[in-house]
Amino acid sequence: MTGLERQAIDVADPAAVIVRYLREDDAVIRCAGAKALGALADRGAASALVDALLDEDPDVRTDAMEALITCAGPCDAAAILRSLEGDPVKEVKVLAIRAIARLEDRAAIPLIRRLAKDRAEDMVAWEDDAGMWDDWLDVQIVAIEALGHLQASEAIDDLLEARTDEMGQELDEVIFPTLARIEEGGMTALLGFLRDRDARVRERAVKAMAKARPETLRPMRDLLLQDKSPAVRRLAVSVVDPENSKATELALHDPDSGVRKSALEAFGEHRPALLEAALGDPDEEMRATALKALVDGDHTPLPADLADNAQAWMTIADAPLATVAIAALPRLLGQRSMEPLRRLAEENERPIEVRIAAISALGETSGDGLINALRRCVVDPTSQIRAAALAALANLAEQTKHEHQQDAAELLASAIGGGFGTEAKAHPPLAERQGDLAASKVEGGPGHVTITPEGDIVTADVEDDTVIEGHFPKSTLDAIQTIDRPAEEKLADGPKPMKRRVPVDGPADVATDIRKVALTMAAKCQSALVTEALIDALSDKEPTIRAAAFRSLTRRSLTSERSALEKIDDALEDPDPAIRHDAARILVNLSPEDVDARLSILLGDDDAMVRGFAIGQVGRREPTIAIKALEDRSDLVRRHALDSLVDDGNALALEGGVQVCLAKGHADTLADCLKRCPNLREPLLLHLGDEQLGRLEILTALEALASA
């Protein structure tokens, strides 16, 4: 180490070990040393960091000032203020102001007040003219924030002046919270903005006040309630007593539905009568909020017509209200809800999320038609419906006391095994569904016109294979809405049906998709039938099915899967790295006696994820393998290896691992391990006292300490 006299080090004083690197000839090492001292937050390092504020390298000065934020004391405030005044680097100034605010150095307030308004060129040194304006804007923001931290009531007029500077930037989002933080006079200044003509200004002022001291809003309740801005009135909800008549006004009669909804959420728990009254609100989201609160809150007695209303809403309302009504129906009707939910689940004209909600709710019911209804949904042309039905079956198969538990498990196992291969149907191709949607005749012109792939408009009677027939949307939204358009929407006469969301087409191979989704849904289902189907799928010819089966088994509580060991061994050599990885995870969970021997073929795997997992497992019992793996090119592999050494707890092996990381420059790996194992700090500090330590090792150790 150039220009550095080493002595015997005391690892009990980490700052003393690292401080010496601030006197290195290499500026990069000096920067790393400053960062490491900042991470220590040791008061004993402050004097050396203050000296580094005079370093010739601006990066060193910047890193030293940032470190001082964590470890400076009151006696360092004057030096930090001198750097703020004299150091031309913007980053140093920004960090200096933050350090001053943390130290609560009121002697710096006059300069910070100036910097909140202008560049204070008579007091502060700046870099050359290029970029000076942008530099000051960054300094201005941190100066304003510091004034709030310092409780600088004398700076309130300066803040208001900065806000109205025609040449300045928009500062309300910074100045208002600062005013709210200043206890003496700050709130009074903010109150004046509640009468500003600009609703955005009023809203920002109220938000700042509420965030700083919510209790200050209570005396201004009536003023807030009368505001024209819904956002301001919504903030008033927090200071209204639930039993007050103002609560009723807000929840039931405010002209803005957002305000009504916020009030209902705040007061409904205490006043069920408000929830019942809100069931008649013209806004569907309000009704949804009221219905959910009534049912979830176990309020009794419930309105006599609530079940009838819920059934009506789930069949005609938009999705937000319909889905809440669906979820409430099993609680309102019990087993009698099965039939209306079944009909809704199969209703193609309802929005997709409504049908999905109905399928999920079916899992809370029982009845003769339940399993058959879910079976029909499993082969629905829409992939989202199929997934919802399979999820419902998996849920039923887990309920050992449910009358249809066995039926659900059998159906789910059948889906995994491909039992729906002949029943499953996909949506027809788009061209078949669009029909004859060619352009209309134009008066005096030719008949139907169509468009060629090149964009030419031609008459329909041109016999050319290049002509494209069909509907040509004008926008993305139009394109989505034309998919699977019902025939009724094409009629020119009569009322137009309500627009609905159209499901996105699923994969062409529906049978395979059903199997993959079923495998995913069955991941935590412990039914013996489902387990057997999962194990059978491990050797399926279709790679995506095998992958889904292995992934599901990694998410299970493994018990009887030892019967799959032979298939797992085969999968350790599968071409798909995801399958190899999942097979290894399952093998470790099963914990056979020869697990390390079985995993050995993966120690040199081409895939870092697979290789890292195997090394991490075997390395716990064979530390030499983990130490060698710390030379790996992949950070993921190195982390697995070092983690295994930490878990093993062998101090000698861990020291060997640290040496490899230092030699290879793996600071990120060491830092990650330090977070888990603080005891690594001592060997790192010992290395930093080694006279033979090279530049790479020094930087690696310092950067690891700084990042941890």
Side-chain angles (χ1 to χ4, degrees), residues 178 466 605:
T178 297
T466 63
D605 197 276

Side-chain angles (χ1 to χ4, degrees), residues 524-556:
K524 296 182 180 181
C525 181
Q526 298 298 324
S527 162
L529 282 173
V530 174
T531 299
E532 184 179 350
L534 275 171
I535 293 175
D536 286 344
L538 293 178
S539 55
D540 198 272
K541 295 180 180 179
E542 170 58 45
T544 59
I545 296 298
R546 290 201 308 277
F550 276 100
R551 178 50 49 92
S552 290
L553 281 176
T554 63
R555 297 164 56 193
R556 291 169 64 88

Side-chain angles (χ1 to χ4, degrees), residues 159-391:
L159 295 173
L160 298 178
E161 182 181 341
R163 179 183 179 274
T164 57
D165 182 3
E166 294 182 357
M167 301 297 293
Q169 59 184 334
E170 173 60 65
L171 293 172
D172 283 358
E173 299 290 351
V174 182
I175 289 176
F176 284 0
T178 297
L179 289 172
R181 193 171 186 177
I182 299 175
E183 295 181 2
E184 186 179 342
M187 281 293 184
T188 303
L190 270 180
L191 277 173
F193 291 109
L194 296 184
R195 292 178 172 82
D196 196 280
R197 293 182 178 180
D198 191 333
R200 292 176 303 170
V201 172
R202 299 196 302 275
E203 180 184 349
R204 291 170 185 164
V206 173
K207 282 184 176 179
M209 296 168 72
K211 188 174 182 180
R213 284 172 282 167
E215 68 277 6
T216 60
L217 296 182
R218 192 169 295 278
M220 298 176 287
R221 184 195 66 184
D222 291 342
L223 181 63
L224 299 177
L225 291 172
Q226 295 168 10
D227 200 284
K228 295 180 180 179
S229 169
V232 174
R233 296 199 303 277
R234 189 158 53 244
L235 289 169
V237 170
S238 63
V239 294
V240 173
D241 191 290
E243 301 301 327
N244 193 290
S245 60
K246 300 292 185 183
T248 304
E249 289 295 317
L250 284 168
L252 301 181
H253 305 301
D254 192 277
D256 183 81
S257 62
V259 175
R260 297 199 303 276
K261 186 171 182 290
S262 295
L264 193 65
E265 290 171 340
F267 310 134
E269 181 181 353
H270 306 283
R271 296 182 57 184
L274 286 180
L275 299 175
E276 293 187 27
L279 292 172
D281 195 280
D283 184 81
E284 287 195 353
E285 289 197 19
M286 275 289 290
R287 280 180 268 163
T289 300
L291 177 60
K292 189 175 188 305
L294 279 170
V295 176
D296 291 351
D298 293 326
H299 295 290
T300 55
L302 293 173
D305 60 350
L306 192 56
D308 291 338
N309 284 335
Q311 287 189 79
W313 290 333
M314 75 180 195
T315 56
I316 63 173
D318 287 340
L321 175 56
T323 53
V324 171
I326 290 166
L329 202 63
R331 304 183 192 182
L332 296 173
L333 289 182
Q335 300 307 322
R336 290 183 295 138
S337 63
M338 193 276 289
E339 185 57 27
L341 288 172
R342 180 198 64 76
R343 290 196 301 268
L344 185 58
E346 299 177 18
E347 178 53 67
N348 291 327
E349 297 304 310
R350 291 296 281 149
I352 190 72
E353 54 266 56
V354 172
R355 295 183 63 197
I356 290 172
I359 293 169
S360 298
L362 277 172
E364 300 181 34
T365 68
S366 63
D368 293 339
L370 175 59
I371 295 298
N372 283 334
L374 292 175
R375 183 185 184 90
R376 287 192 291 273
C377 290
V378 167
V379 295
D380 192 274
T382 303
S383 59
Q384 300 99 313
I385 297 298
R386 298 196 297 268
L390 290 165

Side-chain angles (χ1 to χ4, degrees), residues 40-64:
L40 288 177
D42 189 329
R43 178 71 185 84
S47 60
L49 289 168
V50 166
D51 292 341
L53 294 179
L54 300 177
D55 196 283
E56 63 182 12
D57 189 287
D59 290 334
V60 175
R61 301 199 302 272
T62 300
D63 290 332

